[in-house]
Amino acid sequence: EDRARSALRRAGDHALALNAYGSAAKFFGEALELSPSRDERPELLFCYGKALSRSSTPDEAVLLEALDAMSAAGDAERAAECRVILGELFWRRGERDVAFEQLNEAVATLADRPASYSKAYAFSTLSRFHIAADEAGPAVDVARTATALAEELGLDELRADAINTIGVARATTGDDGGLADLERSIEI
């Protein structure tokens, strides 16, 4: 079981990296069926929930279970990522207020913690949702924090996303400097 679970986990990670979300979910789900240890289960649940959330069959219950497991394990970073993914699910379902509750909670959880991928991801995603909600001011403020975190950690994809959000926010409010931000985002 251990070797099979490990192989399924690697296959799931590979499929997730290729954006093959349905396949990744299948691999992670099968790995969960092979009795992972208490230490391994939270991470597998997180990966399974993440893959499902991006597939055609998102499952809020899996993400909530992963959130509880990560919180119980003391992994604030992954717990915050669970909240971000839940926020995205709620947004897609048209539950704007609940989405922002999850995103704001993710950011609040990591606010006093050191720079990390999870923190940059939470801030970047929150900024994107502010711009989607036509809230340019908060979008720029949060995106600037995300940009600084991403630059510090060398996370080009998140840096490009955050700068893109700044550019969209500035351009939609009549600030022509937003176009330079958009160009910079594309260059990154």
Side-chain angles (χ1 to χ4, degrees):
E1 282 187 349
D2 289 343
R3 287 181 30 208
R5 191 174 51 254
S6 179
L8 288 165
R9 169 68 195 271
R10 285 192 311 275
D13 288 339
H14 185 69
L16 200 56
L18 296 172
N19 298 330
Y21 303 119
S23 295
K26 179 180 177 280
F27 293 132
F28 290 128
E30 289 176 2
L32 279 164
E33 291 175 10
L34 294 176
S35 306
S37 69
R38 280 186 25 214
D39 293 338
E40 187 180 12
R41 185 169 176 73
E43 183 67 20
L44 277 173
L45 278 169
F46 170 77
C47 292
Y48 183 46
K50 180 179 180 178
L52 283 173
S53 75
R54 288 170 168 82
S55 74
S56 60
T57 57
D59 190 335
E60 177 185 329
V62 172
L63 284 167
L64 289 170
E65 186 179 354
L67 173 60
D68 289 343
M70 289 297 177
S71 297
D75 190 339
E77 305 283 326
R78 287 292 206 202
E81 285 187 54
C82 285
R83 288 195 181 279
V84 170
I85 296 167
L86 283 164
E88 292 170 337
L89 286 178
F90 288 124
W91 183 271
R92 287 194 308 249
R93 289 196 320 222
E95 298 178 45
R96 179 189 186 277
D97 293 341
V98 180
F100 272 108
E101 285 174 21
Q102 292 295 326
L103 293 166
N104 285 321
E105 182 64 28
V107 166
T109 298
L110 301 176
D112 295 331
R113 297 182 67 86
S116 67
Y117 169 84
S118 300
K119 188 172 184 177
Y121 170 64
F123 274 88
S124 180
T125 304
L126 177 58
S127 70
R128 238 182 341 107
F129 280 86
H130 275 304
I131 198 62
D134 199 24
E135 299 170 351
V140 170
D141 293 341
V142 176
R144 286 200 168 122
T145 300
T147 301
L149 289 165
E151 284 176 352
E152 178 181 343
L153 298 167
L155 302 170
D156 287 341
E157 185 175 335
L158 288 177
R159 185 167 60 111
D161 286 346
I163 292 170
N164 181 71
T165 299
I166 293 168
V168 170
R170 290 178 68 192
T172 59
T173 59
D175 180 349
D176 290 339
L179 297 176
D181 292 325
L182 291 171
E183 289 172 356
R184 187 167 147 225
S185 172
I186 291 168
E187 287 172 10
I188 295 168

